[in-house]
Coordinates of all heavy atoms in Angstrom, one line a residue:
M5 N 0.9 -1.2 0.0 CA 0.0 0.0 0.0 C 0.9 1.2 0.0 O 1.8 1.3 0.8 CB -0.9 -0.1 1.2 CG -1.7 1.2 1.4 SD -2.7 1.0 2.9 CE -4.1 1.7 2.3
Q6 N 0.7 2.1 -0.9 CA 1.4 3.3 -1.0 C 0.6 4.4 -0.5 O -0.6 4.7 -0.9 CB 1.9 3.6 -2.4 CG 2.8 2.5 -2.9 CD 3.2 2.9 -4.3 OE1 2.8 3.8 -4.9 NE2 4.1 2.1 -4.9
I7 N 1.2 5.3 0.4 CA 0.5 6.5 0.8 C 1.3 7.7 0.5 O 2.5 7.7 0.9 CB 0.3 6.5 2.4 CG1 -0.6 5.2 2.7 CG2 -0.3 7.7 2.9 CD1 -0.7 5.0 4.2
H8 N 0.8 8.6 -0.2 CA 1.5 9.8 -0.6 C 1.1 10.9 0.2 O 0.0 11.0 0.8 CB 1.2 10.1 -2.1 CG 1.5 9.0 -3.0 ND1 2.7 8.6 -3.4 CD2 0.7 8.0 -3.6 CE1 2.8 7.6 -4.3 NE2 1.5 7.2 -4.3
S9 N 2.0 11.9 0.3 CA 1.6 13.1 1.1 C 0.4 13.8 0.6 O 0.1 13.7 -0.6 CB 2.8 14.0 1.2 OG 3.0 14.7 -0.1
L10 N -0.2 14.6 1.4 CA -1.4 15.3 1.0 C -1.2 16.4 0.1 O -2.0 16.9 -0.6 CB -2.1 15.8 2.3 CG -2.6 14.7 3.3 CD1 -3.3 15.4 4.5 CD2 -3.7 13.9 2.6
Q11 N 0.1 16.8 0.0 CA 0.5 18.0 -0.7 C 0.7 17.6 -2.1 O 0.9 18.4 -3.0 CB 1.6 18.8 -0.1 CG 1.3 19.3 1.2 CD 2.5 20.0 1.8 OE1 3.6 19.9 1.3 NE2 2.3 20.6 3.0
S12 N 0.8 16.3 -2.5 CA 1.2 15.8 -3.9 C 0.0 15.9 -4.7 O -1.0 15.4 -4.4 CB 1.7 14.4 -3.8 OG 2.0 14.0 -5.1
T13 N 0.1 16.7 -5.9 CA -1.1 16.8 -6.8 C -0.9 15.8 -7.9 O -1.9 15.5 -8.6 CB -1.1 18.2 -7.4 OG1 0.1 18.5 -8.0 CG2 -1.4 19.2 -6.3
S14 N 0.2 15.1 -8.0 CA 0.3 14.1 -9.1 C -0.4 12.8 -8.7 O -0.5 12.0 -9.6 CB 1.8 13.9 -9.3 OG 2.4 13.2 -8.1
A15 N -0.6 12.6 -7.5 CA -1.4 11.4 -7.1 C -2.9 11.4 -7.5 O -3.5 10.3 -7.4 CB -1.2 11.1 -5.6
A16 N -3.5 12.5 -7.7 CA -4.9 12.6 -8.0 C -5.1 12.0 -9.4 O -4.3 12.2 -10.3 CB -5.3 14.1 -8.0
Q17 N -6.3 11.3 -9.6 CA -6.6 10.8 -10.9 C -7.9 11.5 -11.4 O -8.7 12.0 -10.7 CB -7.0 9.3 -10.6 CG -5.9 8.5 -10.3 CD -6.3 7.0 -10.1 OE1 -7.5 6.7 -10.4 NE2 -5.4 6.2 -9.7
A18 N -7.8 11.7 -12.7 CA -8.8 12.6 -13.2 C -10.1 11.8 -13.4 O -10.1 10.6 -13.5 CB -8.4 13.1 -14.7
V19 N -11.2 12.5 -13.3 CA -12.5 11.8 -13.5 C -13.0 12.1 -14.9 O -13.0 13.3 -15.4 CB -13.6 12.5 -12.5 CG1 -15.0 11.9 -12.8 CG2 -13.2 12.1 -11.1
N20 N -13.3 11.0 -15.7 CA -13.7 11.3 -17.1 C -15.1 11.8 -17.1 O -16.0 11.1 -16.6 CB -13.5 9.9 -17.9 CG -12.1 9.5 -17.8 OD1 -11.2 10.2 -17.9 ND2 -11.9 8.2 -17.9
R21 N -15.4 12.9 -17.8 CA -16.8 13.4 -17.9 C -17.0 13.6 -19.4 O -16.1 14.1 -20.1 CB -16.9 14.7 -17.2 CG -16.8 14.5 -15.7 CD -17.1 15.8 -15.0 NE -17.0 15.4 -13.6 CZ -17.8 15.9 -12.6 NH1 -18.7 16.8 -12.9 NH2 -17.6 15.6 -11.4
V22 N -18.2 13.3 -19.8 CA -18.5 13.5 -21.2 C -19.7 14.5 -21.2 O -20.7 14.3 -20.5 CB -19.0 12.2 -21.9 CG1 -19.5 12.4 -23.3 CG2 -17.9 11.2 -21.8
S23 N -19.6 15.7 -21.8 CA -20.7 16.6 -21.9 C -20.9 17.0 -23.3 O -19.9 17.0 -24.1 CB -20.3 17.8 -20.9 OG -19.2 18.4 -21.5
Q24 N -22.1 17.5 -23.5 CA -22.4 18.0 -24.9 C -22.8 19.5 -24.8 O -23.6 19.8 -23.8 CB -23.7 17.3 -25.5 CG -23.4 15.7 -25.6 CD -24.6 15.1 -26.1 OE1 -25.7 15.7 -26.0 NE2 -24.6 13.8 -26.6
P25 N -22.1 20.3 -25.5 CA -22.5 21.8 -25.4 C -23.9 22.0 -25.9 O -24.5 21.2 -26.6 CB -21.4 22.4 -26.2 CG -21.0 21.3 -27.3 CD -21.2 20.1 -26.5
N26 N -24.4 23.1 -25.3 CA -25.8 23.5 -25.8 C -25.7 24.0 -27.3 O -24.8 24.6 -27.7 CB -26.3 24.8 -25.0 CG -26.6 24.3 -23.5 OD1 -26.8 23.2 -23.3 ND2 -26.7 25.3 -22.6
A27 N -26.8 23.7 -27.9 CA -26.9 24.1 -29.4 C -27.1 25.5 -29.5 O -28.0 26.1 -28.9 CB -28.1 23.3 -30.0
G28 N -26.2 26.1 -30.2 CA -26.2 27.5 -30.4 C -25.9 28.4 -29.3 O -26.1 29.6 -29.2
G29 N -25.4 27.8 -28.2 CA -25.1 28.6 -27.0 C -26.2 29.1 -26.2 O -26.1 29.9 -25.2
K30 N -27.5 28.7 -26.5 CA -28.7 29.2 -25.8 C -28.9 28.3 -24.6 O -28.8 27.1 -24.7 CB -29.9 29.2 -26.8 CG -29.8 30.0 -27.9 CD -31.0 29.9 -28.8 CE -30.9 30.8 -30.0 NZ -32.0 30.6 -30.9
S31 N -29.3 28.9 -23.5 CA -29.6 28.1 -22.4 C -31.1 28.2 -22.2 O -31.8 29.2 -22.3 CB -28.9 28.7 -21.1 OG -29.3 30.0 -20.9
G32 N -31.7 27.0 -21.5 CA -33.0 27.0 -21.2 C -34.0 26.7 -22.4 O -35.2 26.9 -22.3
G33 N -33.4 26.4 -23.5 CA -34.2 26.1 -24.7 C -34.9 24.8 -24.6 O -34.9 24.2 -23.6
G34 N -35.6 24.3 -25.7 CA -36.4 23.2 -25.6 C -35.5 21.9 -25.5 O -35.8 20.9 -24.9
A35 N -34.3 21.9 -26.2 CA -33.5 20.7 -26.1 C -32.4 21.0 -24.9 O -31.8 22.0 -25.0 CB -32.6 20.6 -27.4
S36 N -32.4 20.1 -23.9 CA -31.5 20.3 -22.9 C -30.3 19.4 -23.2 O -30.3 18.3 -23.7 CB -32.2 19.8 -21.6 OG -32.4 18.4 -21.6
A37 N -29.1 20.0 -22.7 CA -27.8 19.2 -22.9 C -27.8 18.1 -21.9 O -28.2 18.3 -20.7 CB -26.7 20.2 -22.7
S38 N -27.2 17.0 -22.2 CA -27.2 15.9 -21.3 C -25.7 15.7 -20.9 O -24.8 15.8 -21.6 CB -27.7 14.5 -21.8 OG -26.8 14.1 -22.8
I39 N -25.5 15.6 -19.6 CA -24.1 15.4 -19.1 C -24.1 14.1 -18.3 O -25.0 13.8 -17.4 CB -23.8 16.6 -18.1 CG1 -23.8 17.9 -18.8 CG2 -22.4 16.4 -17.4 CD1 -23.6 19.1 -17.9
S40 N -23.1 13.3 -18.7 CA -23.0 12.0 -18.0 C -21.6 11.9 -17.5 O -20.7 12.2 -18.2 CB -23.3 10.9 -18.8 OG -22.5 10.9 -20.0
A41 N -21.3 11.5 -16.3 CA -20.1 11.3 -15.6 C -19.8 9.9 -15.5 O -20.7 9.1 -15.2 CB -20.1 12.0 -14.3
V42 N -18.6 9.5 -15.6 CA -18.1 8.1 -15.5 C -17.1 8.1 -14.4 O -16.0 8.8 -14.5 CB -17.5 7.6 -16.8 CG1 -17.0 6.1 -16.6 CG2 -18.6 7.6 -18.0
D43 N -17.3 7.4 -13.3 CA -16.4 7.2 -12.2 C -15.8 5.8 -12.3 O -16.4 4.9 -12.6 CB -17.0 7.4 -10.8 CG -17.6 8.8 -10.7 OD1 -17.1 9.8 -11.3 OD2 -18.5 8.9 -9.9
E44 N -14.5 5.8 -12.0 CA -13.8 4.5 -12.1 C -13.0 4.3 -10.7 O -12.5 5.3 -10.2 CB -12.9 4.5 -13.2 CG -13.5 4.4 -14.6 CD -12.5 4.5 -15.7 OE1 -11.3 3.8 -15.6 OE2 -12.8 4.8 -16.8
L45 N -12.9 3.2 -10.3 CA -12.1 2.8 -9.1 C -11.2 1.6 -9.5 O -11.7 0.6 -9.9 CB -13.0 2.5 -7.9 CG -12.3 1.9 -6.7 CD1 -11.5 3.0 -6.1 CD2 -13.3 1.4 -5.7
E46 N -9.9 1.8 -9.2 CA -9.0 0.7 -9.4 C -8.3 0.4 -8.2 O -7.7 1.2 -7.6 CB -8.0 1.1 -10.6 CG -7.1 0.0 -10.9 CD -6.1 0.4 -12.1 OE1 -6.6 1.1 -12.9 OE2 -5.0 -0.1 -12.1
L47 N -8.4 -0.9 -7.7 CA -7.8 -1.3 -6.5 C -6.5 -2.0 -6.7 O -6.3 -2.8 -7.7 CB -8.7 -2.2 -5.7 CG -10.0 -1.6 -5.1 CD1 -10.8 -2.7 -4.5 CD2 -9.8 -0.5 -4.2
S48 N -5.4 -1.7 -5.9 CA -4.2 -2.4 -6.1 C -4.4 -3.8 -5.6 O -5.3 -4.2 -5.0 CB -3.1 -1.7 -5.2 OG -3.4 -1.9 -3.8
S49 N -3.4 -4.7 -6.0 CA -3.5 -6.1 -5.7 C -3.5 -6.3 -4.0 O -4.1 -7.1 -3.5 CB -2.3 -6.9 -6.3 OG -1.1 -6.4 -5.8
E50 N -2.7 -5.3 -3.5 CA -2.6 -5.4 -2.0 C -4.0 -5.1 -1.3 O -4.4 -5.7 -0.4 CB -1.6 -4.5 -1.4 CG -0.2 -4.8 -1.7 CD 0.3 -4.2 -3.1 OE1 -0.5 -3.5 -3.8 OE2 1.4 -4.5 -3.5
A51 N -4.7 -4.1 -1.9 CA -6.0 -3.7 -1.4 C -7.0 -4.8 -1.6 O -7.9 -5.1 -0.8 CB -6.5 -2.4 -2.1
Q52 N -6.9 -5.6 -2.7 CA -7.8 -6.6 -3.1 C -7.5 -7.8 -2.1 O -8.5 -8.4 -1.6 CB -7.5 -7.1 -4.5 CG -8.0 -6.1 -5.5 CD -7.7 -6.6 -6.9 OE1 -7.1 -7.6 -7.1 NE2 -8.1 -5.7 -7.9
Q53 N -6.3 -8.1 -1.7 CA -5.9 -9.1 -0.8 C -6.5 -8.7 0.6 O -7.0 -9.6 1.3 CB -4.5 -9.3 -0.7 CG -3.9 -10.0 -1.9 CD -2.4 -10.1 -1.9 OE1 -1.7 -9.4 -1.0 NE2 -1.8 -10.8 -2.8
I54 N -6.4 -7.5 1.0 CA -6.9 -7.1 2.4 C -8.4 -7.2 2.4 O -8.9 -7.7 3.3 CB -6.5 -5.6 2.6 CG1 -5.0 -5.5 2.9 CG2 -7.3 -5.0 3.8 CD1 -4.5 -4.2 3.1
S55 N -9.0 -6.8 1.3 CA -10.5 -7.1 1.2 C -11.0 -8.5 1.3 O -11.9 -8.8 2.0 CB -11.1 -6.4 -0.1 OG -12.4 -6.5 -0.2
Q56 N -10.2 -9.3 0.6 CA -10.5 -10.8 0.7 C -10.3 -11.3 2.0 O -11.1 -12.1 2.6 CB -9.7 -11.5 -0.4 CG -10.1 -11.3 -1.7 CD -9.1 -12.0 -2.7 OE1 -8.1 -12.6 -2.4 NE2 -9.5 -11.9 -4.0
A57 N -9.2 -10.9 2.7 CA -9.0 -11.4 4.1 C -10.0 -10.9 5.1 O -10.5 -11.6 5.9 CB -7.6 -10.8 4.6
Q58 N -10.5 -9.7 4.9 CA -11.6 -9.2 5.7 C -12.9 -9.9 5.6 O -13.6 -10.2 6.5 CB -11.8 -7.7 5.4 CG -10.8 -6.8 6.0 CD -10.8 -5.3 5.6 OE1 -11.6 -5.0 4.8 NE2 -10.1 -4.5 6.4
K59 N -13.2 -10.3 4.3 CA -14.4 -11.1 4.0 C -14.3 -12.5 4.7 O -15.2 -12.9 5.2 CB -14.5 -11.2 2.4 CG -15.0 -9.9 1.8 CD -15.2 -10.1 0.3 CE -15.6 -8.9 -0.4 NZ -15.6 -9.0 -1.8
I60 N -13.1 -13.1 4.5 CA -12.9 -14.4 5.2 C -13.0 -14.2 6.6 O -13.7 -15.1 7.3 CB -11.5 -14.9 4.8 CG1 -11.5 -15.3 3.3 CG2 -11.2 -16.2 5.6 CD1 -10.1 -15.7 2.8
G61 N -12.5 -13.2 7.3 CA -12.6 -13.0 8.7 C -14.0 -12.9 9.1 O -14.4 -13.3 10.3
Q62 N -14.8 -12.3 8.3 CA -16.2 -12.0 8.7 C -17.1 -13.2 8.5 O -18.1 -13.4 9.2 CB -16.8 -10.9 7.9 CG -16.3 -9.5 8.1 CD -16.6 -8.4 7.2 OE1 -17.3 -8.8 6.2 NE2 -16.2 -7.2 7.5
T63 N -16.7 -14.2 7.6 CA -17.5 -15.3 7.3 C -16.9 -16.6 8.0 O -17.6 -17.6 7.8 CB -17.5 -15.6 5.8 OG1 -16.2 -15.8 5.3 CG2 -18.2 -14.4 5.1
E64 N -15.9 -16.6 8.7 CA -15.4 -17.7 9.4 C -16.3 -18.2 10.5 O -16.9 -17.4 11.3 CB -14.0 -17.5 10.0 CG -12.9 -17.4 9.1 CD -12.6 -18.7 8.4 OE1 -12.8 -19.8 9.1 OE2 -12.1 -18.7 7.3
G65 N -16.6 -19.5 10.4 CA -17.6 -20.1 11.4 C -16.8 -20.9 12.5 O -15.5 -20.7 12.6
P66 N -17.4 -21.7 13.2 CA -16.8 -22.5 14.3 C -15.8 -23.5 13.6 O -14.9 -23.9 14.4 CB -17.9 -23.4 14.9 CG -19.1 -22.7 14.4 CD -18.8 -21.8 13.2
S67 N -15.9 -23.9 12.5 CA -15.0 -24.8 11.8 C -13.8 -24.1 11.2 O -12.9 -24.8 10.6 CB -15.7 -25.7 10.8 OG -16.1 -25.0 9.7
G68 N -13.8 -22.7 11.2 CA -12.6 -22.0 10.5 C -11.5 -22.0 11.3 O -11.3 -22.5 12.5
D69 N -10.5 -21.3 10.7 CA -9.2 -21.2 11.4 C -9.2 -20.1 12.4 O -8.2 -20.1 13.3 CB -8.1 -21.0 10.4 CG -7.8 -22.1 9.5 OD1 -8.1 -23.3 9.8 OD2 -7.5 -21.9 8.3
I70 N -10.0 -19.1 12.4 CA -9.9 -18.0 13.2 C -10.9 -18.2 14.4 O -12.1 -18.4 14.2 CB -10.4 -16.7 12.5 CG1 -9.3 -16.3 11.4 CG2 -10.4 -15.5 13.4 CD1 -9.7 -15.2 10.5
R71 N -10.4 -18.1 15.6 CA -11.2 -18.3 16.8 C -11.4 -17.1 17.5 O -10.5 -16.6 18.2 CB -10.7 -19.4 17.7 CG -10.6 -20.8 17.0 CD -9.9 -21.8 17.9 NE -8.4 -21.6 18.0 CZ -7.6 -22.2 18.7 NH1 -8.1 -23.1 19.5 NH2 -6.3 -21.9 18.8
S72 N -12.6 -16.4 17.2 CA -12.8 -15.1 17.7 C -12.6 -14.9 19.2 O -12.1 -13.8 19.7 CB -14.2 -14.5 17.3 OG -14.3 -14.6 16.0
E73 N -13.1 -16.0 20.0 CA -13.0 -15.9 21.5 C -11.6 -15.8 21.9 O -11.2 -15.0 22.8 CB -13.7 -17.0 22.1 CG -15.1 -17.2 21.7 CD -15.3 -18.0 20.4 OE1 -14.5 -18.8 20.0 OE2 -16.3 -17.8 19.7
K74 N -10.7 -16.6 21.2 CA -9.2 -16.7 21.6 C -8.6 -15.4 21.3 O -7.8 -14.9 22.0 CB -8.6 -17.9 20.9 CG -7.2 -18.1 21.1 CD -7.0 -19.2 22.1 CE -5.5 -19.4 22.2 NZ -5.3 -20.3 23.4
V75 N -8.9 -14.8 20.0 CA -8.4 -13.6 19.7 C -8.7 -12.4 20.7 O -7.9 -11.6 21.0 CB -8.8 -13.2 18.2 CG1 -8.4 -11.9 17.8 CG2 -8.3 -14.3 17.2
A76 N -10.0 -12.5 21.0 CA -10.3 -11.5 22.0 C -9.7 -11.5 23.3 O -9.3 -10.6 23.9 CB -11.9 -11.5 22.2
A77 N -9.5 -12.8 23.8 CA -8.8 -13.0 25.1 C -7.4 -12.6 25.0 O -6.8 -12.0 25.9 CB -8.9 -14.5 25.5
L78 N -6.7 -12.9 23.8 CA -5.3 -12.5 23.7 C -5.2 -11.0 23.6 O -4.3 -10.4 24.2 CB -4.7 -13.1 22.4 CG -4.5 -14.6 22.6 CD1 -4.1 -15.2 21.2 CD2 -3.4 -14.9 23.6
R79 N -6.2 -10.3 22.9 CA -6.0 -8.9 22.8 C -6.1 -8.2 24.2 O -5.5 -7.3 24.5 CB -7.1 -8.4 21.9 CG -6.8 -8.5 20.4 CD -7.9 -8.0 19.5 NE -7.5 -8.1 18.1 CZ -8.2 -7.9 17.1 NH1 -9.5 -7.5 17.3 NH2 -7.8 -8.1 15.9
E80 N -7.2 -8.8 25.0 CA -7.3 -8.2 26.3 C -6.0 -8.5 27.2 O -5.7 -7.6 27.9 CB -8.5 -8.9 27.0 CG -8.7 -8.5 28.4 CD -9.1 -7.1 28.5 OE1 -9.6 -6.4 27.6 OE2 -8.7 -6.5 29.6
A81 N -5.4 -9.6 27.1 CA -4.2 -9.9 27.9 C -3.1 -9.0 27.5 O -2.3 -8.6 28.3 CB -3.8 -11.3 27.7
I82 N -2.9 -8.8 26.2 CA -1.9 -7.8 25.7 C -2.1 -6.5 26.1 O -1.2 -5.8 26.7 CB -1.7 -8.0 24.2 CG1 -1.2 -9.3 23.7 CG2 -0.9 -6.8 23.6 CD1 -1.3 -9.6 22.2
S83 N -3.4 -6.0 26.1 CA -3.6 -4.6 26.4 C -3.5 -4.4 27.9 O -3.1 -3.3 28.4 CB -4.9 -4.2 26.0 OG -6.0 -4.9 26.6
S84 N -3.8 -5.4 28.7 CA -3.5 -5.3 30.2 C -2.2 -5.5 30.6 O -1.9 -5.2 31.8 CB -4.6 -6.2 31.0 OG -4.1 -7.6 30.7
G85 N -1.4 -6.0 29.8 CA 0.1 -6.2 30.2 C 0.3 -7.6 30.7 O 1.5 -7.9 31.2
A86 N -0.6 -8.5 30.8 CA -0.5 -9.7 31.4 C 0.0 -10.8 30.4 O 0.3 -11.9 30.9 CB -1.9 -10.3 32.0
Y87 N 0.1 -10.5 29.3 CA 0.5 -11.5 28.2 C 2.0 -11.7 28.2 O 2.4 -12.9 28.1 CB 0.0 -11.1 26.8 CG 0.4 -12.1 25.7 CD1 -0.4 -13.3 25.6 CD2 1.4 -11.8 24.9 CE1 -0.1 -14.2 24.6 CE2 1.7 -12.8 24.0 CZ 0.9 -14.0 23.8 OH 1.3 -14.9 22.9
E88 N 2.8 -10.8 28.3 CA 4.3 -10.9 28.2 C 4.9 -11.3 29.5 O 5.3 -10.4 30.3 CB 4.9 -9.7 27.6 CG 4.5 -9.3 26.1 CD 5.1 -8.2 25.6 OE1 5.9 -7.5 26.3 OE2 4.8 -7.8 24.5
T89 N 4.9 -12.6 29.8 CA 5.6 -13.1 31.0 C 6.9 -13.6 30.6 O 7.2 -13.8 29.4 CB 4.8 -14.3 31.6 OG1 4.8 -15.3 30.7 CG2 3.3 -13.9 31.9
P90 N 7.9 -13.6 31.6 CA 9.2 -14.0 31.2 C 9.3 -15.5 30.7 O 10.0 -15.8 29.8 CB 9.9 -14.0 32.6 CG 9.2 -13.0 33.4 CD 7.8 -13.1 33.0
E91 N 8.4 -16.3 31.0 CA 8.3 -17.7 30.5 C 7.9 -17.6 29.0 O 8.5 -18.4 28.2 CB 7.3 -18.6 31.3 CG 7.7 -18.8 32.8 CD 7.3 -17.7 33.7 OE1 6.4 -16.8 33.3 OE2 7.9 -17.5 34.8
K92 N 6.9 -16.9 28.7 CA 6.4 -16.8 27.3 C 7.5 -16.2 26.4 O 7.7 -16.6 25.3 CB 5.1 -16.0 27.3 CG 3.9 -16.8 27.8 CD 2.7 -16.0 27.7 CE 1.5 -16.8 28.2 NZ 0.2 -15.9 28.2
M93 N 8.2 -15.2 26.9 CA 9.2 -14.6 26.2 C 10.4 -15.5 25.9 O 11.0 -15.6 24.8 CB 9.8 -13.2 26.9 CG 8.7 -12.2 27.0 SD 8.1 -11.6 25.4 CE 9.5 -10.6 24.9
S94 N 10.8 -16.3 26.9 CA 11.8 -17.2 26.8 C 11.4 -18.3 25.7 O 12.2 -18.7 24.9 CB 12.1 -17.9 28.1 OG 13.1 -18.9 28.0
A95 N 10.2 -18.8 25.8 CA 9.7 -19.8 24.8 C 9.7 -19.3 23.5 O 10.1 -19.9 22.4 CB 8.3 -20.2 25.2
A96 N 9.3 -18.0 23.3 CA 9.3 -17.4 21.9 C 10.7 -17.2 21.4 O 10.9 -17.5 20.3 CB 8.6 -16.0 22.1
L97 N 11.6 -16.8 22.3 CA 13.0 -16.7 21.9 C 13.6 -18.0 21.5 O 14.3 -18.1 20.4 CB 13.8 -16.0 23.0 CG 15.3 -15.7 22.7 CD1 15.5 -14.9 21.5 CD2 16.0 -15.1 23.9
D98 N 13.3 -19.1 22.2 CA 13.8 -20.4 21.8 C 13.2 -20.8 20.5 O 14.0 -21.4 19.7 CB 13.4 -21.4 22.8 CG 14.1 -21.3 24.2 OD1 15.1 -20.6 24.2 OD2 13.6 -21.7 25.2
K99 N 12.0 -20.6 20.2 CA 11.4 -20.9 18.9 C 12.0 -20.1 17.8 O 12.4 -20.6 16.7 CB 9.8 -20.7 18.9 CG 9.2 -21.7 19.7 CD 7.6 -21.5 19.7 CE 6.9 -22.4 20.6 NZ 5.4 -22.1 20.6
L100 N 12.3 -18.8 18.1 CA 12.9 -18.0 17.1 C 14.3 -18.4 16.8 O 14.7 -18.5 15.5 CB 12.9 -16.5 17.6 CG 13.5 -15.5 16.6 CD1 12.7 -15.4 15.4 CD2 13.7 -14.2 17.3
L101 N 15.1 -18.8 17.8 CA 16.4 -19.3 17.5 C 16.5 -20.6 16.8 O 17.3 -20.9 16.0 CB 17.2 -19.4 18.9 CG 17.5 -18.1 19.6 CD1 18.1 -18.3 20.9 CD2 18.4 -17.2 18.7
D102 N 15.5 -21.5 17.1 CA 15.4 -22.8 16.5 C 15.1 -22.6 15.0 O 15.5 -23.4 14.1 CB 14.3 -23.7 17.1 CG 14.8 -24.2 18.5 OD1 15.9 -24.2 18.8 OD2 13.8 -24.6 19.2
T103 N 14.3 -21.6 14.7 CA 13.9 -21.3 13.2 C 15.2 -20.9 12.5 O 15.3 -21.3 11.3 CB 12.9 -20.2 13.1 OG1 11.8 -20.6 14.0 CG2 12.5 -19.9 11.8
F104 N 16.1 -20.1 13.0 CA 17.2 -19.6 12.2 C 18.5 -20.4 12.5 O 19.4 -20.1 11.8 CB 17.4 -18.1 12.7 CG 16.4 -17.2 12.2 CD1 15.4 -16.7 13.1 CD2 16.2 -16.9 10.8 CE1 14.5 -15.8 12.7 CE2 15.2 -16.1 10.4 CZ 14.3 -15.5 11.3
A105 N 18.5 -21.3 13.4 CA 19.6 -22.1 13.7 C 19.8 -23.4 12.8 O 18.9 -23.8 12.1 CB 19.6 -22.6 15.1

């Protein structure tokens, strides 16, 4: 995902608009000019992957890989500071060293 500064004008994309000028330059005549706008949205592959992951997360059921109750309990433990115990940190370090050794 790329985020550009707000001051950059080159990141803006043009909106394609098709308009027909009034016949003879008169306004309010019997024939009205029709204006139609075409908007387009193009998502990057990263944005598409995020969207798919969010859809999967919303539709996971009891047989899925995501256990919402477990995730909520872990988030609570992390936010309260009870998650990072010396024993857990040591076990995580051992697993990390085993992975790279």
Side-chain angles (χ1 to χ4, degrees):
M5 174 183 219
Q6 295 180 357
I7 300 175
H8 303 283
S9 72
L10 296 175
Q11 298 174 354
S12 175
T13 57
S14 63
Q17 296 180 1
V19 175
N20 299 326
R21 292 183 183 218
V22 179
S23 62
Q24 298 174 348
N26 290 339
K30 297 178 183 176
S31 63
S36 64
S38 69
I39 298 175
S40 62
V42 178
D43 295 334
E44 294 181 25
L45 172 67
E46 185 176 328
L47 296 176
S48 67
S49 61
E50 293 88 3
Q52 291 173 0
Q53 290 174 350
I54 290 170
S55 177
Q56 290 174 353
Q58 288 175 341
K59 287 179 186 176
I60 289 171
Q62 292 172 355
T63 59
E64 285 292 329
S67 64
D69 295 329
I70 299 173
R71 295 179 286 175
S72 302
E73 304 83 27
K74 182 98 173 167
V75 171
L78 287 171
R79 284 184 178 168
E80 177 63 30
I82 291 169
S83 66
S84 69
Y87 182 76
E88 294 181 6
T89 63
E91 295 82 21
K92 288 181 181 178
M93 294 301 286
S94 178
L97 181 59
D98 289 341
K99 288 180 184 178
L100 181 66
L101 291 175
D102 288 343
T103 300
F104 292 109

